[in-house]
Amino acid sequence: MKKSLALFAFLFMSACGGGGGGGTPPPPPPPPPPPPSAVEAFEQSIQGLALTDFYEVSYFGLLKRTPQSAVSLGLEAEVGLTVNDLNSLNQTYVGDTTAMFNIALTALQGYDRSALSNADQITYDVYEWYLEDEIERASFPEFGFPATYGNFGIPGSLQRFFTDLHPLDDADDAQAYIDRLSAVDNQLSELEALLLRQQAAGVVESSITMQVAINQIDGILSIVSGDSAIFTRYADTLPLIPGLSTAQRANFRDIARNTVTSSVLPAYQSLRNTLATLIASAPSDIGVGQYPNGAAYYAYELRHHTTTSLTAAEIHQLGLDELTRIRAEMDVLFGTLGYDTSLPLADLFAQVATDGGTVLAADALAEFEALVSAAETSLQTAMPPVFTVFPSASPIVLPDPFGGFYIGPSLDGSRPGAFYAGTQNDQPRYLMPSLTYHESVPGHHMQIQIAADQDVPTFRKVVRNTGFVEGWALYAERLAFELGWYSSDIYGDLGRLQYEALRAARLVIDTGIHDLGWTFDQAAQFNVDNVGFSLGSSQGAAARYSVIPGQATGYMVGFLQILAERERAQTALGANFDLAAFHDAILTAGAVPLDVLTNVVDQYIADAQP
């Protein structure tokens, strides 16, 4: 009995790890494996998916890397944003994002394209083009002018994000706005670091445009925090947000004001100081051709914006040829008015501005709204129809000090597409119709809203290739002429031709600046002589083309391609060609690369054959 009790006690102490004194304790369990990196998690997320699911999962994963884009598009929930942050310019973060694009491209090319239908092959090709383009862009990290002026650079576009694009519909949005305001200093600090890396690589923005950027920041800094557009938009919207108590609104308002004062404005001041240091070493010349590897970068930008293989020399000559054609058409109308066509173009259009009448600044918004409404009515009642597919929503017209641009709708329907119209100054009426048709209907709004309405993978709704987007908007100006909208407005028709000349001149000036080494004054004067705009306006054009190389070439290249595709379809189909069906086919395809547009039209022709 004693032996049994002793044995039980030994076994009990052994089982409990006690007693014995000489036993070795078991080793601790191994540490859990580290969580996958963002790149690894992305790669895992897209494995083994059906192609349609792959498009959504991979695109949302990539879009999540630029949270400002996801927020602007109304896709926060879809991409799974869990932190209210801004886009990161951190070098490691950007490198990881590029790695994800490479992973997505490899995965896409693992699907059998040949097994897809013609329509699905177009979707495949659009996504492949997008991924390859983003990867190629990443091979030029030292290029771009991210701190430039207007909405072209981060300082201005960041302000626009807060004042126009960030939602403020509920309490969560109000908190997210505060959180993102608190992230401004980090983003602008990363921007400063990027500028210094670019300087080390020999790329510094021209002093001409950098000074404009500094002046723009000075304007932001000159406004006290309580009157800052970033703050006033927030403060003015808070009373409209449901479910917030008076105390909550006051607390949000105080936090926002303090954040602007203690964080946002100091971040802009720091950036301004960095630019003031950089401008001392900035070149006085414009054009990316002056920088190391600049020629290769410009060739990339031409491919990116035109979505074609056209060379700089071909684009330059195309512009010269189009200017000759357009001037001949102008001279016919000048002659009808009894103008002396031997006068400089700027003098002729000064007379057009006078004879065509002036719209006062106070009346400009109503005039633009009336033009949009009339265009919508004309398209919906046209016989025979020129469209059978229409946007699900009309554009709104918003006043803006400068205007002349369009911002597309959010996909969640919370923010409509908007034509920002200049309302600060009196303006000649002859330019207003074509500007309206370009930016709203049948131009940007029609194209972008119809694309967003389609039941297609999300990337086809929102990826916007310049050649098609701007080409369609210029085509819309021509379509208005073909529909007879200028039949009783010869001054408006001259405005259309002047805008067409502007887009042709861009082919010459952009390539002149970046490929041929044109000076700023040379570029501006060419615009005066061949478009007829004032010297001040032409200097603004030269500055714009200098800081976003290649972008200005997309308009005319895309326009001519769309016209050529229409003519090709007419020739192939003869009496079976239907203009409305052609328009519907290319608009419902989204903003495809121009090379892919050929395949879209091929499909339309095949479907329309008797």
Side-chain angles (χ1 to χ4, degrees):
M1 182 66 168
K2 290 181 181 180
K3 288 182 181 180
S4 297
L5 289 174
L7 178 61
F8 176 82
F10 171 78
L11 292 173
F12 178 81
M13 287 190 292
S14 297
C16 294
T24 302
S37 68
V39 175
E40 292 168 338
F42 175 78
E43 186 168 22
Q44 292 168 10
S45 72
I46 62 174
Q47 299 302 311
L49 299 175
L51 183 56
T52 53
D53 294 331
F54 165 77
Y55 288 140
E56 293 296 90
V57 173
S58 61
Y59 181 68
F60 286 150
L62 296 171
L63 185 61
K64 187 176 182 179
R65 303 294 289 179
T66 53
Q68 286 170 242
S69 298
V71 171
S72 300
L73 290 167
L75 293 174
E76 295 173 78
E78 286 78 0
V79 306
L81 288 184
T82 56
V83 178
N84 299 322
D85 209 347
L86 299 174
N87 297 349
S88 176
L89 307 175
N90 175 274
Q91 201 169 8
T92 300
Y93 184 93
V94 172
D96 287 347
T97 303
T98 302
M100 294 179 187
F101 273 95
N102 275 290
I103 289 168
L105 178 62
T106 299
L108 173 66
Q109 293 172 340
Y111 293 90
D112 184 2
R113 180 185 180 279
S114 66
L116 304 176
S117 67
N118 290 337
D120 288 341
Q121 285 182 355
I122 289 171
T123 297
Y124 181 104
D125 292 343
V126 173
Y127 200 41
E128 184 177 49
W129 203 99
Y130 164 69
L131 295 174
E132 289 177 339
D133 180 66
E134 289 292 333
I135 291 166
E136 187 175 5
R137 174 182 295 281
S139 67
F140 298 98
E142 70 277 22
F143 280 99
F145 302 114
T148 198
Y149 71 99
N151 292 326
F152 309 130
I154 289 174
S157 61
L158 181 61
Q159 179 160 319
R160 179 76 65 179
F161 171 73
F162 282 108
T163 59
D164 291 65
L165 304 179
H166 195 293
L168 279 174
D169 298 322
D170 54 33
D172 289 341
D173 290 340
Q175 181 61 57
Y177 196 98
I178 294 289
D179 294 341
R180 293 191 174 100
L181 276 181
S182 300
V184 168
D185 59 348
N186 183 64
Q187 186 182 79
L188 294 187
S189 176
E190 290 179 346
L191 174 57
E192 292 179 58
L194 172 57
L195 293 173
L196 295 176
R197 292 198 301 273
Q198 289 182 321
Q199 180 190 37
V203 178
V204 178
E205 182 179 350
S206 167
S207 59
I208 295 173
T209 52
M210 190 185 295
Q211 185 59 59
V212 179
I214 291 173
N215 295 344
Q216 180 182 24
I217 295 175
D218 285 342
I220 294 172
L221 293 172
S222 68
I223 300 173
V224 297
S225 60
D227 295 324
S228 163
I230 290 175
F231 171 75
T232 56
R233 187 258 173 150
Y234 186 73
D236 292 346
T237 308
L238 279 173
L240 308 177
I241 298 176
L244 293 179
S245 67
T246 300
Q248 286 175 311
R249 291 190 177 98
N251 185 52
F252 273 136
R253 188 181 300 109
D254 289 344
I255 294 173
R257 185 194 298 269
N258 291 337
T259 303
V260 171
T261 301
S262 63
S263 180
V264 173
L265 293 181
Y268 272 95
Q269 181 64 60
S270 179
L271 175 61
R272 196 259 186 226
N273 294 342
T274 295
L275 292 176
T277 299
L278 286 172
I279 201 170
S281 62
S284 57
D285 294 334
I286 57 175
V288 297
Q290 66 185 304
Y291 305 119
N293 206 34
Y297 171 67
Y298 185 52
Y300 160 73
E301 287 290 0
L302 289 179
R303 288 194 300 276
H304 169 73
H305 288 295
T306 69
T307 62
T308 72
S309 58
L310 289 172
T311 66
E314 291 169 331
I315 290 171
H316 192 87
Q317 186 60 50
L318 181 63
L320 293 172
D321 294 342
E322 287 299 302
L323 282 172
T324 299
R325 172 189 63 80
I326 295 165
R327 180 59 196 263
E329 294 180 24
M330 286 179 177
D331 283 349
V332 172
L333 297 183
F334 288 142
T336 301
L337 292 171
Y339 292 1
D340 180 358
T341 56
S342 67
L343 292 173
L345 200 56
D347 292 350
L348 291 168
F349 274 110
Q351 188 63 46
V352 170
T354 299
D355 295 346
T358 299
V359 175
L360 299 178
D363 301 325
L365 183 63
E367 182 72 15
F368 280 118
E369 289 175 330
L371 285 165
V372 172
S373 178
E376 288 186 305
T377 300
S378 295
L379 291 178
Q380 291 166 354
T381 59
M383 293 303 293
V386 289
F387 296 95
T388 57
V389 175
F390 292 93
S392 60
S394 294
I396 61 172
V397 184
L398 296 177
D400 188 82
F402 303 102
F405 60 93
Y406 173 83
I407 295 180
S410 60
L411 294 188
D412 62 2
S414 63
R415 178 176 49 75
F419 165 30
Y420 286 75
T423 55
Q424 183 168 275
N425 302 310
D426 300 345
Q427 51 193 292
R429 192 194 181 282
Y430 83 98
L431 288 172
M432 296 176 75
S434 280
L435 176 62
T436 301
Y437 306 147
H438 182 101
E439 301 296 346
S440 63
V441 176
H444 281 322
H445 178 75
M446 192 155 193
Q447 183 266 304
I448 291 171
Q449 182 67 68
I450 286 176
D453 294 339
Q454 301 310 300
D455 183 17
V456 293
T458 303
F459 76 88
R460 290 196 63 179
K461 301 181 181 186
V462 299
V463 172
R464 295 169 189 162
N465 293 292
T466 309
F468 186 89
V469 170
E470 298 298 351
W472 172 266
L474 182 52
Y475 173 83
E477 297 178 45
R478 168 68 70 89
L479 183 63
F481 164 74
E482 294 175 340
L483 294 175
W485 293 2
Y486 297 104
S487 59
S488 59
D489 182 12
I490 191 170
Y491 301 109
D493 200 16
L494 277 165
R496 172 188 70 84
L497 286 172
Q498 188 176 32
Y499 272 135
E500 201 167 297
L502 174 67
R503 280 45 170 267
R506 285 174 174 175
L507 303 182
V508 182
I509 299 171
D510 196 286
T511 53
I513 289 171
H514 298 291
D515 185 60
L516 301 177
W518 282 18
T519 67
F520 181 82
D521 291 342
Q522 185 179 1
Q525 191 60 49
F526 186 91
N527 203 69
V528 172
D529 295 340
N530 292 276
V531 180
F533 281 168
S534 69
L535 179 60
S537 175
S538 297
Q539 288 172 333
R544 168 185 163 173
Y545 310 154
S546 75
V547 297
I548 45 172
Q551 191 272 347
T553 67
Y555 296 68
M556 182 57 72
V557 170
F559 163 67
L560 293 175
Q561 179 75 22
I562 292 170
L563 280 180
E565 294 294 345
R566 187 178 79 176
E567 183 177 348
R568 183 169 70 88
Q570 288 175 308
T571 300
L573 293 172
N576 292 310
F577 175 80
D578 182 273
L579 184 60
F582 172 80
H583 288 156
D584 296 346
I586 65 174
L587 287 180
T588 56
V592 301
L594 294 181
D595 288 343
V596 178
L597 178 61
T598 298
N599 298 334
V600 172
V601 175
D602 285 343
Q603 185 64 50
Y604 158 69
I605 293 172
D607 292 342
Q609 294 284 359

